[in-house]
């Protein structure tokens, strides 16, 4: 495949392959976190359940008694004026919220404490754990001092309010009064006493409100009566002075004194007559203009006599025309008919003149009548305007009289209603179910506490797991090489246990060989000519599998019939000579020190099929040897002999060797240990390589364990040869 790729034209060579990691769905991501940190989550849940169990067993049992009351909507009002109070439909919520607030009022709590004699009850205060540090709670001769009764009443009320619950039933008028204490009998007594005292206080407020309202209304009635009398005197005096005479209006309201003036009535009547006269004049004028001085008018056409004459003339004209067909005009019969026709024409003209004269007379009469009415209307307008000017103050006095009368009558009616209802003790609150002595404790509830602990533990455990996931920077699976490091993934190599990497590479059916064959395949897409001819293999720190990766890549390339050399570039900690069974007396450091002959520095690894160069004697400072041009010269001379030069480079962190080597080769393969190094350190190492203008081809995830991979990847190296070998091993074992 590599040979074919290298022979392709430049326009047809494959572009570098970029492997993009698929974005993990959010549900799978959270499930992956949960499975990865499942033991932490389960531990937190178990601890929460244990704590809830211990706390529940140590808690003092408490008993809750409940009394149910019904709160009906009040409709009574002290004043019945529109706008003073909201209407019932919009004030229900406000009313009921007020009642709930009154149920939890401090005065009601202190009243209950006083009625049940809890203020001087030592057992009551001890039952709720009230200490006796306050002077009012210190016993004197076995009794509480009388001087501290007010303080004890306040404290007892606060205790009752802390243990009281008011729970309205949704969509109803029922309210449940709950009280919780360590004593079941005390809980029932307080709940019942609370309901009874609430009813009594409600009645007392009504009696007080009725008495106060009656006194207030009586004072307001006297004041309003005085204002009404004064406003009426002002109205009558002003009307007499200005000679304003008004008549009562028809359909006036009960609480108002609507009036109408004589001038306004006359003006309205004459104005109506004027409108009718104008209409009549317009109609007469239209008829007159239609005649135009001739008889061809609508009236003439509708006249019976004229129509009869015209019909007779038409008949005579027809007879005359018939005679003319046989005789001359001088014929006696023809002259007679002609004479009749002329007589009829004179009669028609006279009749039409009579109709026209009648129309003209009607028109003149209509004009005169309109002028007369117009003159009278103008006079009444002047009189009405003068009356309006003088009636402005009159109307002000009239409105004041109407307002005062309305207020007075309303107050008087309300005063009568309060006088009747004041002696009736109607209460809108009643007890539906009195509180019974509870037979079992309401708290603690073991099942509920354990459920709460389970939910809290789950949430806390999930939070801790999420925090640990954010803190953990280890590369867990192959997808994170692209997602977290931004490197194309060349492949993932499984962790080999119980066998040396060299031995695993010699077994062509091993999982290690399969993994590095995938790496070689991806390397073929990193450049236009296939696998880079010179490449180095490095890592962030030692023991991440870079030497094994370099050895494996050299092996797979050699098995692909390529001529390969493996150079041990780690002159500080050499390892390639161990794989070849030789020493490192001769190698890379000798060439960098000035030796030009390459052949004496090489040795063969016959079982793997390629040549190798050891690191040579360990120099005092390897970086100084790499800074010159000798290393680039070595790579250039080796590429004249070999198809590929693979360099086992030192780690990047803490050393300058790896960036120097990376800048002299075509590409760099970066190995990352799975679950073994933080992503920030890898990014720092990649940054050093980038600063050296190194071309990082991609990353290889080494020592990968599929069973420790995150959920959803399903990596399996047991397919194919490995699976068959495992099956055969199982058969032999059985």
């Amino acid at each position: 495949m590599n040979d074919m790729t290298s022979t392709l034209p430049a326009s047809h060579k494959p572009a570098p392959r970029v492997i993009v990691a698929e974005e993990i769905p959010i549900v799978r991501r959270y499930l992956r976190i949960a499975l990865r940190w499942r033991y932490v989550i389960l531990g937190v849940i178990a601890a929460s359940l244990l704590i809830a169990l211990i706390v529940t067993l140590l808690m003092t049992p408490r008993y809750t008694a409940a009394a149910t009351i019904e709160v009906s909507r009040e409709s009574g009002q002290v004043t019945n004026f529109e706008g003073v109070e909201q209407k019932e439909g919009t004030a229900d919520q406000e009313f009921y919220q007020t009642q709930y607030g009154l149920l939890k009022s401090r005065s009601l709590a202190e009243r209950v404490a006083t009625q049940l004699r809890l203020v001087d009850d030592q057992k009551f205060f001890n039952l709720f754990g009230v200490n006796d540090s306050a002077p009012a709670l210190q016993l004197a001769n076995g009794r509480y001092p009388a001087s501290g009764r007010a303080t004890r009443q306040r404290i007892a009320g606060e205790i009752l309010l802390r243990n009281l619950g008011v729970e309205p039933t949704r969509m109803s008028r029922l309210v449940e009064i709950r009280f919780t204490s360590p004593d079941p009998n005390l809980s029932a007594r307080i709940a019942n006493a609370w309901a009874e005292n609430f009813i009594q206080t409600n009645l007392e407020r009504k009696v007080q409100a009725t008495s106060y309202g009656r006194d207030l209304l009586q004072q307001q009635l006297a004041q309003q009566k005085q204002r009404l009398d004064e406003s009426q005197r002002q109205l009558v005096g002003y009307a007499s002075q200005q000679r304003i005479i008004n008549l009562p209006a028809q359909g006036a309201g009960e609480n108002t004194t609507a009036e109408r003036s004589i001038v306004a009535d006359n003006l309205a009547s004459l104005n109506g007559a004027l409108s009718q006269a104008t209409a009549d004049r317009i109609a007469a004028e239209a008829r007159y203009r239609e005649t135009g001085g001739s008889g061809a008018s609508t009236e003439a056409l509708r006249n019976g006599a004229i129509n009869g004459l015209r019909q007779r003339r038409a008949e005579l004209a027809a007879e005359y025309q018939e005679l003319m067909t046989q005789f001359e005009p001088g014929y006696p019969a023809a002259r007679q008919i002609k004479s009749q026709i002329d007589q009829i024409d004179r009669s028609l003209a006279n009749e039409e003149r009579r109709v026209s004269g009648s129309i003209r007379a009607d028109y003149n009469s209509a004009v005169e009548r309109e002028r007369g009415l117009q003159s009278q209307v103008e006079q009444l307008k002047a009189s009405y305007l003068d009356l309006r000017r003088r009636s402005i103050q009159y109307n002000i006095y009239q409105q004041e009289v109407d307002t005062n009368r309305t207020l007075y009558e309303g107050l008087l009616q309300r005063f009568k209603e309060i006088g009747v209802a004041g002696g009736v003790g109607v209460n809108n609150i009643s007890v539906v179910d009195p509180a019974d002595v509870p037979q079992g404790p309401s708290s603690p509830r073991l099942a509920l506490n354990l459920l709460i602990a389970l939910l809290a533990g789950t949430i806390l455990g999930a939070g801790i797991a999420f925090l640990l996931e954010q803190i953990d920077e280890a590369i867990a699976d192959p997808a994170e090489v692209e997602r977290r490091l931004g490197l194309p993934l060349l492949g993932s190599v499984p962790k080999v246990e119980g066998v040396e990497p060299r031995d695993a590479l010699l077994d062509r059916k091993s999982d290690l060989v399969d993994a590095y064959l995938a790496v070689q395949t991806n390397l073929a897409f990193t450049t236009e000519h296939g696998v880079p001819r010179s490449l180095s293999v490095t890592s962030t720190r030692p023991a991440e599998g870079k030497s094994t990766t370099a050895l494996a890549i050299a092996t797979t390339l050699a098995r692909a019939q390529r001529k390969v050399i493996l150079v041990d570039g780690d002159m500080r900690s050499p390892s390639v000579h161990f794989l070849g069974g030789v020493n490192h007396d001769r190698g890379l450091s000798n060439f960098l020190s000035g030796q030009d002959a390459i052949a004496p520095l090489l040795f063969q690894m016959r079982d793997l099929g390629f040549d190798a160069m050891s690191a040579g004697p360990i120099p005092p400072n390897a970086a100084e040897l790499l800074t010159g041009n000798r290393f680039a010269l070595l790579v250039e001379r080796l590429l004249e002999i070999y198809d590929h030069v693979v360099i086992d480079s030192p780690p990047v962190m803490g050393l300058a060797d790896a960036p120097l080597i990376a800048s002299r080769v075509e590409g760099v393969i970066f190995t990352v240990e799975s679950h073994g190094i933080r992503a920030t350190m890898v990014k720092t190492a990649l940054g050093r390589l980038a600063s050296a203008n190194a071309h990082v081809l991609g990353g290889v995830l080494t020592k990968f364990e599929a069973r420790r991979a995150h959920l959803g990847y399903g990596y399996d190296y047991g397919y194919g040869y490995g699976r068959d070998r495992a099956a055969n091993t199982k058969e032999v074992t059985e």
Side-chain angles (χ1 to χ4, degrees):
M1 181 184 68
N2 295 341
D3 294 337
M4 294 177 64
T5 305
S6 61
T7 59
L8 288 174
S11 59
H12 297 282
K13 291 182 180 179
R17 182 183 179 188
V18 179
I19 303 174
V20 180
E22 182 181 357
E23 184 67 21
I24 305 174
I26 186 169
V27 175
R28 291 175 57 189
R29 187 184 308 170
Y30 288 141
L31 187 57
R32 181 202 68 183
I33 296 174
L35 289 179
R36 184 180 183 188
W37 303 101
R38 58 187 178 275
Y39 297 112
V40 174
I41 297 175
L42 292 176
V44 173
I45 293 175
S48 301
L49 292 175
L50 181 60
I51 293 173
L53 179 62
I54 295 174
V55 171
T56 301
L57 295 177
L58 294 178
M59 290 177 64
T60 302
R62 296 171 65 84
Y63 300 85
T64 300
T68 304
I69 63 173
E70 179 186 4
V71 181
S72 301
R73 179 72 171 92
E74 286 183 329
S75 59
Q77 298 176 346
V78 176
T79 57
N80 196 25
F81 303 145
E82 182 71 23
V84 175
E85 293 185 359
Q86 295 182 347
K87 294 185 178 180
E88 181 177 345
T90 59
D92 281 346
Q93 188 65 24
E94 178 182 351
F95 168 75
Y96 285 110
Q97 291 297 329
T98 302
Q99 299 303 311
Y100 305 151
L102 292 175
L103 274 170
K104 293 183 286 187
S105 62
R106 179 178 57 84
S107 59
L108 181 58
E110 294 179 359
R111 176 171 178 156
V112 172
T114 303
Q115 183 190 30
L116 297 180
R117 299 180 181 178
L118 303 177
V119 179
D120 299 323
D121 190 354
Q122 181 182 358
K123 295 181 180 180
F124 171 76
F125 291 103
N126 294 335
L127 191 64
F128 289 95
V130 178
N131 55 30
D132 55 355
S133 59
L137 296 175
Q138 293 179 357
L139 297 175
N141 298 325
R143 301 180 63 181
Y144 286 125
S147 58
R149 184 176 178 83
T151 303
R152 292 194 303 275
Q153 185 178 14
R154 177 180 56 80
I155 296 174
E158 293 174 354
I159 294 173
L160 295 181
L161 287 176
R162 282 198 300 267
N163 295 275
L164 177 76
V166 176
E167 298 181 5
T169 303
R170 185 174 178 82
M171 303 300 293
S172 72
R173 295 177 293 182
L174 300 180
V175 182
E176 211 173 51
I177 301 174
R178 294 176 172 269
F179 189 82
T180 304
S181 73
D183 186 355
N185 295 312
L186 179 63
S187 297
R189 287 173 54 203
I190 293 178
N192 289 325
W194 206 283
E196 294 172 0
N197 280 272
F198 181 64
I199 294 174
Q200 293 177 7
T201 55
N202 184 64
L203 288 172
E204 292 173 0
R205 283 196 303 271
K206 283 191 173 184
V207 172
Q208 292 175 0
T210 301
S211 176
Y212 175 78
R214 185 167 53 248
D215 296 340
L216 178 62
L217 285 175
Q218 191 171 6
Q219 296 176 6
Q220 291 180 348
L221 274 173
Q223 296 176 1
Q224 198 62 39
K225 183 65 169 61
Q226 182 179 358
R227 293 175 185 173
L228 178 60
D229 294 341
E230 183 178 353
S231 61
Q232 287 179 338
R233 284 194 295 268
Q234 289 178 347
L235 178 64
V236 173
Y238 184 80
S240 300
Q241 179 183 357
Q242 297 294 329
R243 301 184 63 81
I244 298 175
I245 301 174
N246 292 333
L247 300 176
Q250 297 179 355
E254 297 179 357
N255 298 327
T256 58
T257 308
E259 296 178 346
R260 55 189 178 90
S261 64
I262 297 177
V263 177
D265 285 353
N266 293 337
L267 179 61
S269 300
L270 287 178
N271 192 57
L274 175 61
S275 299
Q276 184 61 41
T278 302
D280 294 342
R281 189 265 304 166
I282 293 174
E285 184 179 2
R287 290 194 301 271
Y288 175 71
R289 292 183 182 277
E290 184 181 1
T291 59
S294 64
S297 64
T298 304
E299 294 293 333
L301 294 176
R302 293 176 180 175
N303 191 276
I306 294 176
N307 291 334
L309 291 174
R310 287 178 178 174
Q311 185 177 1
R312 179 59 183 162
R313 185 184 185 284
E315 294 174 354
L316 292 175
E319 293 179 4
Y320 182 76
Q321 291 297 331
E322 185 178 356
L323 290 176
M324 288 297 100
T325 59
Q326 298 178 1
F327 303 101
E328 294 293 332
Y331 185 69
R335 287 200 305 271
Q336 183 180 0
I337 293 174
K338 178 64 175 173
S339 176
Q340 292 179 4
I341 290 174
D342 294 339
Q343 182 62 35
I344 289 174
D345 288 339
R346 288 191 293 272
S347 298
L348 281 173
N350 293 332
E351 191 65 25
E352 287 177 353
R353 283 194 295 274
R354 184 185 65 80
V355 171
S356 299
S358 176
I359 293 173
R360 186 183 306 106
D362 291 342
Y363 170 66
N364 294 331
S365 175
V367 170
E368 291 299 327
R369 183 169 178 272
E370 182 185 14
R371 289 175 181 173
L373 289 174
Q374 183 69 37
S375 175
Q376 293 183 11
V377 167
E378 293 298 329
Q379 294 177 4
L380 286 177
K381 283 183 179 180
S383 300
Y384 181 72
L385 291 176
D386 180 66
L387 178 64
R388 289 288 301 273
R389 179 182 56 78
R390 291 183 289 111
S391 297
I392 293 176
Q393 187 63 37
Y394 178 83
N395 292 333
I396 294 174
Y397 289 147
Q398 183 66 61
Q399 292 174 1
E400 186 176 357
V401 169
D402 294 341
T403 302
N404 290 332
R405 180 179 292 107
T406 301
L407 292 175
Y408 176 76
E409 292 176 355
L411 288 173
L412 182 60
Q413 180 64 27
R414 189 59 183 151
F415 182 77
K416 294 177 181 179
E417 294 174 358
I418 290 180
V420 174
V424 181
V426 179
N427 190 20
N428 63 317
I429 301 172
S430 60
V431 177
V432 178
D433 290 324
D436 296 329
V437 178
Q439 301 301 316
S442 59
S443 65
R445 299 169 62 182
L446 180 60
L448 179 61
N449 291 347
L450 291 179
L451 179 60
I452 295 174
L454 177 62
L455 295 176
T458 302
I459 295 174
L460 181 60
I464 294 176
F466 186 77
L467 181 62
L468 292 175
E469 179 71 15
Q470 298 299 316
I471 296 175
D472 184 21
E473 295 185 354
I475 306 299
D477 50 61
E480 292 186 350
V481 174
E482 166 67 23
R483 182 168 55 87
R484 301 179 67 173
L485 302 180
L487 282 179
L489 178 65
L490 297 177
S492 58
V493 182
K495 186 176 183 180
V496 179
E497 295 180 345
V499 63
E500 291 295 329
R502 178 188 175 91
D503 298 334
L505 291 174
L506 291 174
D507 182 7
R508 298 198 177 193
K509 296 182 180 181
S510 66
D511 296 336
L512 196 66
V513 173
D514 290 340
Y516 279 111
L517 281 175
V519 174
Q520 178 193 345
T521 302
N522 288 328
L523 278 175
F525 296 98
T526 56
T527 65
E528 295 181 352
H529 55 270
V531 179
R533 297 197 62 197
S534 62
L535 55 88
S536 67
V537 182
T538 186
S539 62
T540 305
R541 64 181 185 183
E544 286 195 68
K546 63 178 182 59
S547 298
T548 301
T549 300
L551 178 66
I553 291 176
T555 302
T556 56
L557 290 174
R559 289 174 180 173
Q561 305 302 320
R562 311 306 299 268
K563 194 172 183 180
V564 184
I565 182 172
L566 174 63
V567 179
D568 191 350
D570 192 353
M571 293 180 287
R572 301 175 188 268
S573 179
S575 60
V576 174
H577 64 282
F578 289 114
L579 302 176
V582 300
N583 55 36
H584 59 93
D585 294 339
R586 294 176 300 173
L588 176 63
S589 60
N590 298 105
F591 184 86
L592 297 179
S593 300
Q595 181 179 341
D596 290 330
I598 296 179
L601 305 179
L602 306 180
F603 64 92
Q604 292 184 348
M605 300 185 72
R606 300 183 183 276
D607 52 353
L608 296 178
F610 59 84
D611 296 339
M613 176 185 291
S614 69
I618 299 177
N621 193 333
E624 292 181 357
L625 295 178
L626 293 171
T627 54
N629 296 324
R630 296 288 295 175
F631 185 81
L633 178 62
L634 174 64
V635 173
E636 182 180 353
R637 292 181 59 182
L638 289 176
L639 289 176
E640 295 175 356
I641 304 171
Y642 298 95
D643 296 327
H644 299 282
V645 177
V646 180
I647 302 172
D648 181 10
S649 177
V652 176
M653 297 303 295
L655 302 175
D657 302 7
L660 292 173
I661 294 174
S663 63
R664 301 294 197 275
V665 296
E666 188 175 356
V668 178
I669 299 175
F670 200 92
T671 60
V672 180
E673 182 182 359
S674 176
H675 297 282
I677 188 168
R678 290 181 295 142
T680 52
M681 293 184 62
V682 179
K683 291 180 180 179
T684 303
L686 292 174
R688 292 194 61 190
L689 292 178
S691 63
N693 295 323
H695 179 207
V696 180
L697 302 173
V700 177
L701 188 66
T702 61
K703 302 180 183 181
F704 175 66
E705 298 179 75
R707 60 183 177 82
R708 298 180 61 188
H710 293 164
L711 178 68
Y713 293 95
Y715 296 103
D716 186 7
Y717 292 97
Y719 180 78
Y721 299 122
R723 179 170 297 177
D724 294 340
R725 184 172 60 253
N728 295 333
T729 303
K730 181 178 180 182
E731 293 177 358
V732 172
T733 304
E734 293 177 350

